[in-house]
Amino acid sequence: MDKFLIKRPRSGESSNACKAPLGSESSEKNAHANFDLDDIISDPGLRKPIEDFDIRIRDQVRRKYLTRGPCQPAGHNFPQKEYGKQRRSFRDAWFKQHPWLEYSVTKDAVFCFWCYLFKPNRVSQIGEDAFTKTGFNNWKKALEKFIEHVGAVNSAHNDARVQFQSFQNQRQSVSHQLAAHSHEMEVAYRIRLTAILDVTRFLLKQGLAFRGHDESSSSLNKGNFLELLEWYSLRNEEVWRTVNQNATGNNQMTSPKVQKELANACAAEITRVIVDDIGDNYFSLLIDEARDISVKEQMGVILRYVNKDGYVIERFLAMVHVPDTSAISLKNAVDCLFSKHKLSLSRLRGQGYDGASNMRGEFNGLKALILKENLYARYVHCFAHQLQLVIVVIAKDNRIVSDFFQYVTMIVNVTRASCKRKDQLRQHHHDRLVEQLEKEEIVSGRGKNQESSLARPGDTRWGSHYTTILRLISMWTSVLEVLQNVHDDGASNDNRGIAASLIEKMENYQFIFIMYLMSHLLRITNELSLALQQKDQNIVQAMRLIEAVKARLQGLRETRWEEFMEEVIDLIAQEIQNHFPEASTELLLLMSYHDPRDSFSKFNIQKLLRLAELNPEDFSMTECMMLEDQLATFIYDVQHDEDFTNIRDLGDFARKMVETEKCFIFPLVYRLLELALVLPVATASVERVFSAMNIVKTDFRNKMGDEWMNDSLVVYIEREVFGNIDNETILQRFQKMQTRRMQLPPLNRMPRVFNTRTGVGSISSVPR
């Protein structure tokens, strides 16, 4: 049973469980008029009754629920109940037939969304409470009871429907009727709001701050938002006529609250597109945690899935603040996030984390907690992290190699210890390049012989050891000259002694030998590291790359080099074997039989049938029997189809199946392929999210709230998705967030000069 509709704990509360359901005795006693977003719970079985909210905030609560929509977890594995000899469960199709239906995962029952929000305050009819408070779950009589609940034209349900539709359409509200705004004012409102949205979109896409230190009218720098809006208005006469001093005083739409609501609308539309793209397909979860600039623990969440065109997609879902990084806190955060976006844990088929104990712990880690609820959410330790551990172990376990990297670190630290030394190093390197160019020892060209500096190696920075060695080799002479200057100009005996020791070490044959040996060995692992960080990498291809690295290392081992070299190579090969146990597990080995290379030479029907048997949640006994026939027909078909002749990896394989529509002809084969593709390979996408977080939330923006930061990151990271969402969709979501003073007029009532694509008038001359 999914537990993805549990309430999110507030800051400072225990993270062992989300808050008790509102509507309990303690919460009812504390009902007040202050609106709290934590009171909005997606699961209808855990909600506080609408009548228990203070009447002064009831419409605000309704508006928030209306924005979220009914809880309809598509693709959820609904549990079956026995009715004599029959077994029945809730059906997905009922959501389409009855849009008012909501499903509670915790209670395995359905509720009426319209009646919850607008049930008339009169004597309850028979069965009404079942759809608003207790829940209905007699699936044998479901269709009959649904019709009975809807009732006649004057039923309580239909009264609630009318109120729901009226509330949804703000233009028909009583307050709007009384205000009777003129059409011209509404047109001006749309132009003004659209221009403000354009400014918001630009700032979010660039990851820029909105607010200024001084936003008063006399300020010379009002901040990015107001300055860009003014710049925009000076170049568009239609906008200039409706913003700033030309707008009504109580409807200028430039307040921080409006900015944040627009950003939230943008982010919400992006996540909606992502979740809709996933649909009821399988997906995997990639998670990592890091601290932001204000020293708050943040959890980045990425979803990996195969889209309708057969492409492997990794999308950023959210950045969630967690009170601590314990496994239970991370699990609660995942539950609440899935609840918010109506994702079903039962569709999860993979987990990808680093090797921290709170993540992969056998008994109490996040991996174990999810596996308790879904046995088929296969865990894959991030391959890129494992590869990094290989490099770290090599650098520490072999004394000679360890001493080498310690001296390299000292060389980097001494040459970078001051601005003077950095400038000397750059100048020496520049002069050396000029000299080599004049002697035609090297050639010039775009991207060649660029200015560079020494990079400090670090255990947690992928490829840093390899980069450091390459830089040291390329700047060898310049580094020696700087160290010699430190020795000659040293203000203390310690500096002179350290510089002399490093010069002596660099001129030692063993040091140079190890440097070139390690550069050659790490080049092999660095190629694998870069490949593993690709978003569309799949598990079979990753295993192939690892085997290729092992083969290359074995080739070096068998060249009969000296004993020391054999020792180092053996260490690397052994560590790669130790840190990639997944490459030998039955599940991943079975997936390799899907490999399309060499005309599907590894294709094995019995092995692939065994893979289906390991996933009984996705392949019933009947489907396993059908799969054998499909596989036999499929392999004959593709081996004689020219379209599949040059397929090299699983990604191309899946896309070609969609392109040729074989995914519909052989649906069970494609399902097997999808399970292989959806498994995560590396958490590089999450690491990139944290890099974006450091761009968006800086020292100057360290007080940025969690929701504001999340909305900014969603837009900044998923700019590709954002670019395909038009202004009108965002404006409509923004308009429904709460009751507005003005209403958006339909686009068909806008003047012809108005651009319906961008939402503003055509650019005119700069107004005077």
Side-chain angles (χ1 to χ4, degrees):
M1 171 80 63
D2 289 7
K3 294 181 181 177
F4 72 108
L5 295 175
I6 310 276
K7 196 172 175 204
R8 169 167 52 101
R10 297 179 187 170
S11 177
E13 291 182 339
S14 171
S15 61
N16 292 334
C18 291
K19 288 179 60 180
L22 287 166
S24 62
E25 183 179 354
S26 60
S27 65
E28 289 176 1
K29 290 180 180 179
N30 295 323
H32 51 76
N34 293 328
F35 177 76
D36 188 346
L37 188 60
D38 284 338
D39 290 344
I40 308 301
I41 306 176
S42 295
D43 191 326
L46 301 177
R47 287 178 188 154
K48 175 180 177 180
I50 196 72
E51 58 266 23
D52 287 353
F53 286 97
D54 189 282
I55 194 170
R56 287 169 289 180
I57 65 168
R58 208 168 289 172
D59 277 356
Q60 195 174 359
V61 172
R62 289 183 174 120
R63 182 68 60 194
K64 184 55 70 173
Y65 273 122
L66 189 146
T67 301
R68 289 195 176 188
C71 181
Q72 300 177 341
H76 176 64
N77 289 336
F78 301 100
Q80 294 185 337
K81 302 177 92 175
E82 292 187 4
Y83 298 91
K85 295 182 179 180
Q86 296 180 332
R87 297 176 62 86
R88 298 190 179 182
S89 66
F90 182 85
R91 297 181 183 178
D92 263 337
W94 292 343
F95 287 140
K96 295 182 180 179
Q97 296 172 12
H98 307 283
W100 47 267
L101 268 182
E102 292 191 285
Y103 179 82
S104 169
V105 171
T106 56
K107 290 190 174 182
D108 183 30
V110 293
F111 295 78
C112 177
F113 185 55
W114 297 347
C115 289
Y116 168 75
L117 295 177
F118 297 102
K119 188 182 76 171
N121 292 324
R122 54 185 170 86
V123 179
S124 297
Q125 296 179 357
I126 298 175
E128 280 188 15
D129 283 348
F131 285 91
T132 56
K133 295 181 180 179
T134 59
F136 174 82
N137 61 1
N138 185 351
W139 310 128
K140 187 177 181 180
K141 298 184 177 180
L143 296 178
E144 174 187 339
K145 291 298 182 181
F146 293 166
I147 295 173
E148 182 180 328
H149 170 71
V150 172
V153 176
N154 61 346
S155 68
H157 173 85
N158 279 311
D159 286 348
R161 174 183 58 80
V162 171
Q163 291 189 57
F164 174 83
Q165 292 173 342
S166 297
F167 191 80
Q168 196 174 28
N169 186 358
Q170 294 182 34
R171 298 184 61 81
Q172 301 301 321
S173 66
V174 175
S175 59
H176 178 72
Q177 297 278 348
L178 293 176
H181 296 298
S182 67
H183 173 60
E184 290 76 14
M185 292 177 66
E186 290 184 341
V187 170
Y189 172 69
R190 175 180 279 278
I191 295 174
R192 177 166 61 254
L193 184 57
T194 306
I196 289 170
L197 174 57
D198 286 339
V199 171
T200 301
R201 292 183 74 132
F202 177 84
L203 295 177
L204 289 173
K205 287 175 67 175
Q206 299 303 118
L208 298 174
F210 279 60
R211 304 291 303 280
H213 176 68
D214 181 6
E215 295 187 343
S216 64
S217 58
S218 60
S219 174
L220 296 177
N221 186 354
K222 303 181 184 67
N224 291 332
F225 181 84
L226 294 179
E227 291 289 341
L228 186 57
L229 181 61
E230 183 176 348
W231 178 89
Y232 190 10
S233 66
L234 290 174
R235 284 153 181 80
N236 190 306
E237 187 172 357
E238 291 290 336
V239 174
W240 177 77
R241 290 174 179 171
T242 62
V243 299
N244 297 330
Q245 70 274 9
N246 295 324
T248 54
N250 62 352
N251 199 239
Q252 295 196 359
M253 308 300 290
T254 57
S255 68
K257 180 182 178 182
V258 169
Q259 296 169 20
K260 291 180 179 179
E261 287 179 348
L262 281 171
N264 182 256
C266 293
E269 282 301 316
I270 291 174
T271 53
R272 179 193 60 78
V273 170
I274 293 172
V275 172
D276 288 350
D277 197 30
I278 296 174
D280 60 353
N281 293 334
Y282 307 120
F283 63 95
S284 288
L285 183 67
L286 290 85
I287 289 178
D288 204 353
E289 74 274 353
R291 291 183 178 180
D292 62 24
I293 195 66
S294 58
V295 198
K296 295 171 69 175
E297 291 288 353
Q298 303 287 355
M299 182 182 77
V301 181
I302 296 283
L303 298 182
R304 177 186 174 99
Y305 61 97
V306 180
N307 71 1
K308 62 182 181 181
D309 297 320
Y311 285 87
V312 177
I313 305 294
E314 289 185 358
R315 294 293 187 198
F316 172 62
L317 183 67
M319 183 73 74
V320 183
H321 169 55
V322 288
D324 57 72
T325 56
S326 65
I328 191 66
S329 291
L330 299 179
K331 177 59 168 58
N332 285 338
V334 170
D335 287 339
C336 296
L337 193 62
F338 275 34
S339 165
K340 179 180 179 181
H341 297 294
K342 303 177 184 177
L343 293 167
S344 175
L345 194 65
S346 64
R347 307 304 291 173
L348 194 64
R349 288 297 177 268
Q351 309 175 62
Y353 320 127
D354 60 21
S357 59
N358 64 332
M359 292 291 197
R360 67 173 298 187
E362 184 176 357
F363 300 107
N364 297 312
L366 178 60
K367 158 197 166 184
L369 294 178
I370 290 180
L371 284 173
K372 287 179 182 178
E373 299 182 31
N374 182 351
L375 293 174
Y376 307 103
R378 316 285 185 179
Y379 169 73
V380 178
H381 183 187
C382 172
F383 276 36
H385 275 95
Q386 294 181 75
L387 182 61
Q388 179 67 14
L389 292 174
V390 171
I391 300 173
V392 173
V393 170
I394 294 170
K396 291 182 177 179
D397 284 6
N398 184 282
R399 182 184 61 81
I400 299 177
V401 175
S402 177
D403 289 345
F404 166 76
F405 279 109
Q406 287 182 6
Y407 276 109
V408 168
T409 301
M410 292 175 62
I411 291 169
V412 174
N413 289 339
V414 170
T415 54
R416 291 163 51 99
S418 67
C419 296
K420 177 181 177 182
R421 294 179 191 176
K422 290 181 181 179
D423 290 341
Q424 286 180 349
L425 180 62
R426 280 194 291 265
Q427 188 60 46
H428 282 304
H429 186 54
H430 174 268
D431 295 343
R432 176 68 176 162
L433 290 176
V434 172
E435 181 182 349
Q436 290 178 310
L437 285 170
E438 291 176 349
K439 294 180 180 180
E440 297 184 352
E441 295 177 0
I442 59 175
V443 295
S444 61
R446 185 173 183 178
K448 296 182 178 180
N449 307 311
Q450 300 293 312
E451 180 182 288
S452 61
S453 60
L454 291 183
R456 183 180 291 108
D459 290 351
T460 59
R461 293 189 345 212
W462 302 348
S464 60
H465 293 77
Y466 180 57
T467 302
T468 298
I469 292 176
L470 291 183
R471 297 276 182 86
L472 183 58
I473 292 174
S474 66
M475 305 179 73
W476 185 263
T477 303
S478 302
V479 171
L480 282 173
E481 290 180 356
V482 171
L483 290 175
Q484 188 63 51
N485 290 339
V486 173
H487 176 270
D488 296 341
D489 303 334
S492 66
N493 291 330
D494 289 343
N495 284 344
R496 287 196 293 269
I498 292 173
S501 174
L502 294 178
I503 292 172
E504 180 182 358
K505 180 59 66 174
M506 288 181 66
E507 293 176 343
N508 181 276
Y509 172 77
Q510 179 176 285
F511 183 90
I512 298 174
F513 176 78
I514 297 173
M515 179 174 66
Y516 278 95
L517 170 64
M518 294 308 298
S519 70
H520 187 71
L521 293 175
L522 294 182
R523 182 187 306 126
I524 298 174
T525 59
N526 186 65
E527 292 170 356
L528 176 59
S529 176
L530 294 176
L532 291 176
Q533 295 177 52
Q534 297 176 8
K535 288 185 177 182
D536 60 349
Q537 194 62 262
N538 61 72
I539 204 77
V540 172
Q541 190 168 337
M543 291 168 60
R544 272 207 323 256
L545 291 170
I546 293 167
E547 291 301 324
V549 168
K550 292 179 181 178
R552 292 179 66 183
L553 292 174
Q554 185 61 30
L556 288 176
R557 174 67 177 80
E558 294 172 354
T559 56
R560 299 183 180 180
W561 286 4
E562 297 179 7
E563 183 178 351
F564 164 69
M565 295 186 64
E566 293 176 357
E567 179 184 351
V568 174
I569 296 172
D570 284 348
L571 181 60
I572 296 176
Q574 184 60 46
E575 288 302 325
I576 287 181
Q577 183 63 38
N578 292 341
H579 282 91
F580 288 95
E582 289 90 348
S584 58
T585 59
E586 182 184 15
L587 177 69
L588 301 191
L589 286 174
L590 290 174
M591 286 183 176
S592 66
Y593 291 101
H594 249 320
D595 195 338
R597 289 186 307 165
D598 302 324
S599 298
F600 298 85
S601 59
K602 294 189 67 176
F603 195 89
N604 186 305
I605 293 179
Q606 296 306 315
K607 298 292 186 182
L608 291 175
L609 285 175
R610 172 59 182 160
L611 178 60
E613 291 172 359
L614 290 176
N615 294 274
E617 186 76 6
D618 306 307
F619 293 90
S620 65
M621 186 178 298
T622 303
E623 287 178 327
C624 285
M625 296 171 64
M626 295 170 59
L627 178 61
E628 184 172 6
D629 292 331
Q630 273 198 24
L631 286 169
T633 307
F634 169 79
I635 189 60
Y636 179 85
D637 183 45
V638 295
Q639 286 181 339
H640 293 80
D641 190 335
E642 293 183 357
D643 289 336
F644 288 80
T645 303
N646 297 318
I647 301 298
R648 297 182 178 180
D649 58 50
L650 288 188
D652 290 341
F653 184 18
R655 291 189 290 273
K656 186 60 69 173
M657 283 197 70
V658 174
E659 180 184 324
T660 58
E661 297 188 350
K662 293 188 189 297
C663 59
F664 303 112
I665 302 173
F666 307 104
L668 298 179
V669 178
Y670 187 74
R671 190 185 304 173
L672 264 183
L673 178 59
E674 188 179 4
L675 286 172
L677 284 171
V678 83
L679 272 184
V681 175
T683 59
S685 295
V686 192
E687 300 289 343
R688 285 188 278 266
V689 166
F690 293 134
S691 298
M693 180 180 70
N694 293 330
I695 294 173
V696 171
K697 189 170 183 178
T698 61
D699 283 328
F700 294 107
R701 305 179 75 186
N702 61 6
K703 293 184 179 180
M704 175 182 276
D706 295 329
E707 185 177 20
W708 179 224
M709 182 180 73
N710 175 73
D711 294 340
S712 300
L713 282 174
V714 168
V715 178
Y716 181 74
I717 294 170
E718 296 299 342
R719 282 170 284 186
E720 179 185 0
V721 177
F722 188 46
N724 293 322
I725 299 175
D726 59 32
N727 277 355
E728 187 62 23
T729 304
I730 299 171
L731 290 177
Q732 292 300 331
R733 177 177 286 273
F734 169 80
Q735 199 70 20
K736 292 176 182 178
M737 284 181 171
Q738 65 180 50
T739 303
R740 307 287 179 187
R741 291 189 179 94
M742 297 288 296
Q743 302 305 311
L744 289 172
L747 282 173
N748 58 10
R749 293 178 58 192
M750 297 300 295
R752 289 188 177 182
V753 70
F754 188 83
N755 189 322
T756 57
R757 184 181 64 83
T758 62
V760 299
S762 58
I763 295 180
S764 305
S765 58
V766 178
R768 298 179 181 177

